[in-house]
Amino acid sequence: MENQRKTFKRDRYFLNYKILHLIGQGGFADVYYVKEKKNNRPYALKVERKDAKRSMLSSEAKICRRIQDSLLFPRYKEFGETTNYYYLATECLGPSLTS
């Protein structure tokens, strides 16, 4: 069953990140391939609505910060929130494994 959440449109900005395309959707969050406005670097941006039934992104961000010394996980960029969303930006390592 396909998830029917509204997603961000290509070439729009979420804060300082330009949305290039949707990588995938999970139970509560969407993951986008983005480029940072100020330096054009690519990142994976995971976005979760604050009104989601279950919020996991804050916990995921804490784990990402703890495992920064591992070569097996993406580098943490930032975690934050807006009025409606939590977001986590990490290094983008390559194409989605689900594709």
Side-chain angles (χ1 to χ4, degrees):
M1 182 175 184
E2 187 112 355
N3 198 327
Q4 297 299 317
R5 276 192 305 268
K6 280 190 165 189
T7 58
F8 297 143
K9 302 225 182 279
R10 180 182 175 90
D11 295 329
R12 297 282 177 105
Y13 280 88
F14 178 85
L15 301 173
N16 292 316
Y17 298 99
K18 184 176 184 179
I19 305 294
L20 298 180
H21 63 83
L22 180 69
I23 294 173
Q25 291 184 297
F28 304 104
D30 302 322
V31 182
Y32 297 90
Y33 180 69
V34 300
K35 292 232 174 150
E36 192 172 24
K37 187 177 188 177
K38 67 181 176 181
N39 61 21
N40 212 33
R41 287 189 185 143
Y43 293 99
L45 181 70
K46 192 170 195 176
V47 181
E48 177 183 77
R49 288 195 56 85
K50 283 187 169 179
D51 62 3
K53 291 178 186 175
R54 187 170 171 200
S55 179
M56 297 298 296
L57 210 50
S58 176
S59 297
E60 189 173 332
K62 288 176 187 173
I63 292 167
C64 283
R65 285 191 295 262
R66 288 184 190 151
I67 59 176
Q68 285 306 287
D69 293 333
S70 172
L71 299 175
L72 303 175
F73 294 94
R75 308 298 298 165
Y76 171 87
K77 167 82 168 111
E78 72 173 315
F79 172 78
E81 64 182 280
T82 67
T83 304
N84 297 315
Y85 298 97
Y86 294 109
Y87 65 93
L88 172 63
T90 62
E91 173 184 35
C92 191
L93 296 177
S96 170
L97 297 176
T98 61
S99 298

